[in-house]
Amino acid sequence: MIEIKGLRKTYGAKGRRDPQVVAVDGVDLSVGEGDVFGVLGRSGAGKSTLLRCVNMLERPDAGTVSVGGVELTTLNGRRLRAARHGIGMIHQHFALLSSRTVAGNVAFALEVTGVPRAERRTRVAELLDLVGLSERAGAYPGQLSGGQKQRVGIARALAARPKVLLSDEATSALDPETTDSILRLLLDLNRRLGLTILLITHEMTVVKRICRSAAVMRDGRFVESGAVTDLLHRPESELARDLFPLDPFAELPGQTVVDVSVSGEDADIPLLTEVARTLDVDVRVLSGSVETLAAGRAGRWRLAVPGDGAAVIHHLRSRGAVVAVAEASS
Amino acid sequence: MTWSELSDLLLVGLQETAWMVGVSTVLTAIGGLLLGVLLVLTAPGGLLAAPVVSSVLGFVVNVARSLPFIILLVAVIPFTRAVVGTTIGTDAAIVPLTIGAIPFFARIVEAALREVPPDVVAAATAMGATRTQIVGKVLLREARPGLVAGLTITVIALVGYSAMAGVVGGGGLGDLAIRYGYQRFETEVMVATVVVLVVFVQLIQMAGDVLVRRLSHK
């Protein structure tokens, strides 16, 4: 649904002394239809620029961006505006019109897309119902809570029935509970409308709760990217490390320490007791957990097993787990 | 001077001031809005970024703003003759008043439009809004409270400028105060004029404040 190839965007350095800043440095990204893809990174990693390049709010210096099969980098004027109708966007600080009511804000999106006046009223009612805000139709944004404002933002973004939704830190200004309800709404829209969502965030919770695919971005590049469950199985994955932090450990004489990750149905097999019973060994959990992610059930543990652990590793692997021997931190 | 003579003088003065300020306010509102919008649009990073146009406009505005009004009043006399056919009288005073106030208001419009969060403009752009829609439905509309507050300031400045209109025979309250109160030492005319001006300005400010309050929903 979204295909990005070799995207580059730099700022500054217009013959002046200020150094050139490379915001996005050669990013390839592919988001499948109906996927929820999260780009995780600290501020300044370039994720906001990346997102703004998807609907040409920023013009990339190099690379291609296509959404729904339409190449956007070469579009201008009317054809770019038409393409933008198919791409909804929500913002960290909501970006609502303070001079219009809730209904007026949603109607604005319809005016922009050229929906005739007669249809607007019913469409506004539908959209407000979709985000659960029908009762506040006559309120001004200044009278709403953050969560309600973001719901208006979502209703507005969906006005033109887009196939794709871009989310620019949509929950970063919200408290944890409100974040939860907005994420639930996004996931619900993803399922009900088949909406493809590309979001950027610095919050791991967002990835955990709604993303099926993710990328970690640093210094304008993707450090890793792919399905969340695949990333979890990579011992070097930063996403795995953040989602399932494993504590450092000192060398254990006569024992081997292994990192084990499981996902999908494998996460619910009583794997550890099973391996202990079958091989008649003691397995000690040093750290780890099992969680329910949007991408499915997943778990990761750091285990201490006796000897070289070969038999345990073999058994775990035969049951679908990904196992790697861990290095002690000195 | 009797009370009835005084009140006749004041009434005529008030009418002349109201006429000069009223007409030049309407013209200033139109001209200042256009110029202010142009300043914002052509600025670097604006919707119609044009560095040359932007700096030329900015320079012209600054030149006009640096002229003391009393000098502007005289300097534009040839232009006034071309526009209204005469260089003296109330109508003739409207031309320099408008020319003086447009750059002043344009800067206020510029500042008010810059207060609209860039986020909101980006959101409209991302929705596929045209530049016309962004200017009309986002920038101008969102900035309405600031624009009205700015226009109130401008109207009151115009009341002040209009006191100098006597130089070109424009009449008005200021002229009355100078001719009777100052030159003829009729202090009661001076005091009465000042009182009327104070009330006039207060009413303008109050009307502006009420309108701003009704327009802002923050």
Side-chain angles (χ1 to χ4, degrees):
Chain A
M1 202 64 186
I2 304 174
E3 295 292 336
I4 296 176
K5 290 217 171 62
L7 190 78
R8 244 182 97 79
K9 174 76 186 175
T10 53
Y11 292 111
K14 287 163 191 152
R16 292 288 166 88
R17 268 174 303 169
D18 48 329
Q20 187 162 325
V21 178
V22 183
V24 180
D25 189 8
V27 164
D28 298 313
L29 167 66
S30 171
V31 185
E33 189 167 355
D35 197 3
V36 181
F37 193 110
V39 178
L40 191 70
R42 302 218 180 112
S43 58
K47 50 195 197 313
S48 194
T49 306
L50 170 67
L51 195 73
R52 291 166 66 92
C53 280
V54 177
N55 57 4
M56 297 293 124
L57 283 180
E58 303 279 358
R59 288 275 174 182
D61 298 332
T64 57
V65 177
S66 89
V67 177
V70 180
E71 165 60 36
L72 297 176
T73 41
T74 55
L75 293 187
N76 268 309
R78 185 191 303 267
R79 290 173 60 205
L80 177 58
R81 288 197 300 275
R84 279 171 171 162
H85 295 327
I87 309 171
M89 188 173 194
I90 52 178
H91 310 261
Q92 178 173 8
H93 299 293
F94 322 120
L96 302 178
L97 299 168
S98 65
S99 61
R100 287 193 182 217
T101 60
V102 166
N105 268 281
V106 180
F108 173 75
L110 297 167
E111 288 164 31
V112 163
T113 24
V115 175
R117 184 179 295 268
E119 276 175 49
R120 274 184 229 151
R121 187 188 288 259
T122 38
R123 217 30 212 129
V124 167
E126 271 173 36
L127 286 160
L128 288 182
D129 186 50
L130 191 65
V131 298
L133 216 58
S134 302
E135 283 104 66
R136 303 306 313 264
Y140 284 92
Q143 302 165 318
L144 301 180
S145 69
Q148 289 172 325
K149 283 184 200 167
Q150 197 54 284
R151 282 170 191 271
V152 180
I154 293 171
R156 180 177 75 171
L158 297 177
R161 304 180 200 275
K163 288 272 176 30
V164 171
L165 182 70
L166 306 178
S167 164
D168 185 354
E169 297 271 10
T171 57
S172 301
L174 305 174
D175 62 58
E177 272 173 45
T178 317
T179 294
D180 250 22
S181 79
I182 293 293
L183 292 180
R184 268 201 304 276
L185 174 62
L186 288 177
L187 202 54
D188 181 51
L189 294 170
N190 163 257
R191 286 181 184 141
R192 274 204 286 168
L193 310 176
L195 193 65
T196 306
I197 301 178
L198 173 60
L199 62 88
I200 63 166
T201 185
H202 65 268
E203 297 170 305
M204 181 50 77
T205 358
V206 174
V207 174
K208 194 158 134 181
R209 309 254 340 198
I210 71 170
C211 294
R212 281 186 283 275
S213 310
V216 175
M217 195 168 182
R218 195 187 312 124
D219 298 332
R221 295 166 199 242
F222 279 2
V223 183
E224 58 189 74
S225 107
V228 171
T229 43
D230 289 345
L231 293 179
L232 288 183
H233 294 315
R234 296 191 200 159
E236 77 284 0
S237 162
E238 291 185 21
L239 190 79
R241 245 184 295 164
D242 287 348
L243 261 178
F244 296 98
L246 298 176
D247 298 338
F249 63 96
E251 191 100 32
L252 298 169
Q255 296 188 55
T256 304
V257 175
V258 293
D259 292 347
V260 182
S261 61
V262 288
S263 63
E265 288 168 8
D266 300 332
D268 289 321
I269 309 174
L271 198 58
L272 301 186
T273 51
E274 185 193 273
V275 78
R277 204 167 344 100
T278 316
L279 301 177
D280 194 23
V281 290
D282 285 323
V283 173
R284 198 150 59 90
V285 179
L286 299 178
S287 56
S289 62
V290 181
E291 300 236 29
T292 306
L293 311 174
R297 295 273 290 162
R300 194 159 171 254
W301 304 281
R302 178 159 282 173
L303 307 177
V305 295
D308 66 356
V312 174
I313 293 172
H314 180 78
H315 184 91
L316 291 171
R317 282 185 177 150
S318 74
R319 300 293 270 134
V322 176
V323 187
V325 175
E327 297 287 328
S329 55
S330 46
Chain B
M1 186 179 291
T2 66
W3 273 111
S4 90
E5 280 172 339
L6 181 61
S7 61
D8 282 353
L9 278 177
L10 285 174
L11 194 64
V12 172
L14 185 61
Q15 278 171 350
E16 286 168 346
T17 295
W19 173 250
M20 286 188 288
V21 171
V23 176
S24 46
T25 295
V26 172
L27 296 175
T28 299
I30 298 166
L33 272 180
L34 280 173
L35 189 53
V37 168
L38 269 180
L39 282 170
V40 171
L41 292 185
T42 58
L47 289 172
L48 283 172
V52 178
V53 181
S54 167
S55 27
V56 169
L57 282 180
F59 181 71
V60 171
V61 165
N62 290 343
V63 166
R65 293 214 46 214
S66 43
L67 286 183
F69 183 68
I70 191 88
I71 294 174
L72 184 78
L73 195 64
V74 184
V76 298
I77 282 180
F79 180 70
T80 307
R81 183 180 292 121
V83 177
V84 283
T86 174
T87 63
I88 50 166
T90 314
D91 289 350
I94 288 171
V95 176
L97 282 175
T98 307
I99 292 175
I102 283 179
F104 178 76
F105 185 51
R107 284 293 187 205
I108 294 180
V109 170
E110 187 191 13
L113 296 185
R114 288 199 197 288
E115 285 293 301
V116 178
D119 225 20
V120 177
V121 178
T125 310
M127 275 182 245
T130 61
R131 289 193 190 106
T132 319
Q133 284 170 327
I134 292 173
V135 171
K137 295 184 179 213
V138 179
L139 287 179
L140 288 176
R141 172 134 182 171
E142 284 291 293
R144 269 191 324 194
L147 293 175
V148 172
L151 191 62
T152 311
I153 295 173
T154 308
V155 175
I156 290 169
L158 276 170
V159 174
Y161 289 162
S162 74
M164 289 174 240
V167 173
V168 293
L173 290 169
D175 186 40
L176 191 68
I178 294 285
R179 282 192 292 124
Y180 286 77
Y182 179 63
Q183 290 164 351
R184 294 201 208 163
F185 304 104
E186 294 186 35
T187 310
E188 72 273 18
V189 181
M190 177 71 91
V191 171
T193 310
V194 169
V195 169
V196 173
L197 275 173
V198 167
V199 172
F200 192 58
V201 168
Q202 286 292 342
L203 288 176
I204 293 168
Q205 187 65 53
M206 274 167 58
D209 288 347
V210 167
L211 201 52
V212 169
R213 215 172 305 131
R214 199 174 296 172
L215 287 175
S216 50
H217 298 284
K218 294 241 158 130

